[in-house]
Amino acid sequence: MPPFPVRFPLPPSTTRAAAAAVGAVIAAVALRRYLSTSRRRPYASAAMSALRSSSAAAGAATTLVAYGKSPQDQELLASAAGSLALGEGESAGEVAVALAHEGAGFDAGTYMGALRARRFGRWMLWSPRVGSTQDLIAQNFAKLPVGVVCVADVQFKGRGRSKNVWESPPGCLMFSFTSQMQDVRKLPLMQYVVCLSMTEAIKELCHAKELPELDVRIKWPNDLYLKGLKVGGILCTSSYEAKVYNICTGIGLNVDNEKPSTCLNAALQQANAISPRLKREDVLAYFFNKFENLFEIFSNQGFQALEEQYYNSWLHSGQRVVVQDAHEGQSVGSVVTIQGLTPSGYLYAIGEDDKSYELHPDGNSFDFFTGLVRRKIEA
């Protein structure tokens, strides 16, 4: 596999936006060839700033620090990041890109040292404070290598279900990364692969560090729970362009912040008061190590190859829930038992009438006792 993930080929009828994406890739490959023939530069030897507006004060700009698995990867990303935009038109904010940042709150060396993935996470943009990592990579997808990750210490325009906006607490691991997919049938199942990857990564990390195992579970469709409390959430968004789905995946995970619910390190301290604490850098690296493997299985064999493993990590096998069934203009509650997932990614359940149902979340009111809508599965 080449070190720079090449995007899917585009047909002759390429759109203007798609052509720009191709141009960005060609430029990136050319830069890499130049770097490979020039003298190797020390890692993060100098700071490089590239403001989108020369008239803007540097203090008003959003700071992004570019890191790579190798010095060439780092400079490649820094070059691409110099043209990033935050917002559009008059609302666009300035971006300052650097190769180093004094007092950085994220240890890129620790992260890159633990990273084994070759395709995902080898390019990283870190910011001490940004509106939304998800918006940043979504708005600039064509300018960045596929597999890039953006990490923020503070995120003040984070996005949740139904476009809810929230500000992250310190100690939370917040990141977004990019991927691509061609099969639209698999697209709704992507969030399940991400959830599974995170639960498995946490287990492997605890085992590697000889820490008490944290039984993080998946609450369908996109939340992570620990001891009955939410510790994380996943958001996948996508856009379609030239027969390719560009996917942006955002994750928020409570690693070292007990509010608003609980966090991984609080659970470790409860299990063993002298237990070492997990680091955000290690969690992120282990996530990509696991995700790269599961994503390959998912892409080649479909979600069915991961289904048993997913069910072992979720909360809902055999769970009885109340669902709302619209009948003659009235909402009637009934009890069903969850069996698994349907091929389209919704909940598969059996009713008290022994009939099969597909359960759909009903907007933002969704939980597992109210807010579900059922649809009968025809025989």
Side-chain angles (χ1 to χ4, degrees):
M1 180 179 296
F4 188 85
V6 179
R7 299 173 186 270
F8 291 112
L10 301 176
S13 58
T14 305
T15 64
R16 181 177 299 179
V22 174
V25 173
I26 295 175
V29 172
L31 174 61
R32 186 172 186 85
R33 289 175 177 172
Y34 165 76
L35 291 171
S36 65
T37 58
S38 62
R39 184 176 62 183
R40 177 177 290 266
R41 303 180 185 181
Y43 186 83
S45 60
M48 179 193 72
S49 296
L51 290 180
R52 289 182 57 248
S53 173
S54 59
S55 61
T62 295
T63 299
L64 294 176
V65 186
Y67 298 100
K69 187 68 173 176
S70 69
Q72 289 85 356
D73 287 334
Q74 184 187 30
E75 295 197 43
L76 175 67
L77 179 59
S79 177
S83 63
L84 297 186
L86 284 171
E88 298 179 356
E90 295 181 357
S91 63
E94 288 73 33
V95 176
V97 181
L99 295 181
H101 183 80
E102 185 176 355
F106 193 90
D107 190 339
T110 296
Y111 163 68
M112 291 296 180
L115 183 69
R116 299 291 178 265
R118 299 182 60 196
R119 182 179 179 188
F120 294 99
R122 65 180 297 128
W123 295 274
M124 183 183 74
L125 292 169
W126 169 81
S127 178
R129 179 179 173 84
V130 69
S132 167
T133 59
Q134 189 82 347
D135 288 345
L136 190 147
I137 64 169
Q139 294 171 7
N140 298 279
F141 197 103
K143 301 176 183 178
L144 296 167
V146 176
V148 68
V149 59
C150 180
V151 183
D153 280 358
V154 174
Q155 183 175 253
F156 55 90
K157 290 184 180 178
R159 295 165 57 192
R161 286 180 57 81
S162 298
K163 299 182 180 180
N164 288 336
V165 179
W166 54 276
E167 181 168 349
S168 62
C172 183
L173 172 62
M174 296 157 295
F175 65 97
S176 298
F177 68 97
T178 63
S179 59
Q180 286 184 318
M181 186 177 298
Q182 290 180 306
D183 191 343
V184 66
R185 295 168 298 178
K186 294 178 180 177
L187 197 60
L189 302 169
M190 177 66 166
Q191 60 185 334
Y192 306 153
V193 179
V194 175
C195 287
L196 177 60
S197 299
M198 184 57 80
T199 61
E200 292 296 305
I202 293 171
K203 290 177 183 177
E204 289 194 6
L205 177 56
C206 288
H207 179 74
K209 300 294 184 180
E210 298 183 346
L211 300 174
E213 183 175 320
L214 295 175
D215 189 24
V216 178
R217 295 277 178 160
I218 300 167
K219 181 179 178 182
W220 183 88
N222 55 2
D223 286 333
L224 301 175
Y225 269 62
L226 177 61
K227 296 182 177 181
L229 297 173
K230 182 176 177 178
V231 294
I234 286 87
L235 176 68
C236 291
T237 61
S238 63
S239 60
Y240 181 72
E241 187 175 21
K243 298 183 180 181
V244 175
Y245 289 91
N246 296 330
I247 306 171
C248 298
T249 300
I251 300 178
L253 180 68
N254 296 350
V255 177
D256 207 25
N257 55 293
E258 295 189 41
K259 295 180 179 181
S261 56
T262 187
C263 66
L264 303 185
N265 281 329
L268 285 176
Q269 295 297 307
Q270 291 175 1
N272 185 348
I274 61 173
S275 173
R277 305 176 78 85
L278 291 176
K279 297 180 180 179
R280 293 182 301 156
E281 295 86 350
D282 288 328
V283 175
L284 184 62
Y286 272 70
F287 166 78
F288 280 123
N289 294 345
K290 177 58 64 174
F291 174 77
E292 183 160 286
N293 175 256
L294 296 185
F295 182 74
E296 182 176 359
I297 296 174
F298 174 57
S299 300
N300 295 332
Q301 304 176 40
F303 188 73
Q304 186 176 3
L306 302 174
E307 207 162 3
E308 182 178 354
Q309 193 175 2
Y310 178 82
Y311 291 148
N312 289 334
S313 295
W314 81 336
L315 294 168
H316 310 301
S317 296
Q319 184 178 11
R320 290 166 60 84
V321 298
V322 177
V323 297
Q324 302 299 321
D325 192 4
H327 181 69
E328 295 182 356
Q330 294 183 344
S331 182
V332 180
S334 57
V335 178
V336 299
T337 303
I338 298 174
Q339 305 294 318
L341 295 173
T342 66
S344 56
Y346 293 107
L347 291 179
Y348 170 67
I350 301 294
E352 293 179 319
D353 54 5
D354 290 329
K355 295 180 180 179
S356 299
Y357 293 91
E358 184 178 76
L359 307 184
H360 296 236
D362 183 17
N364 197 48
S365 65
F366 168 73
D367 60 35
F368 278 96
F369 301 96
T370 60
L372 279 167
V373 176
R374 70 176 184 175
R375 296 181 181 177
K376 183 178 178 182
I377 299 177
E378 301 297 334

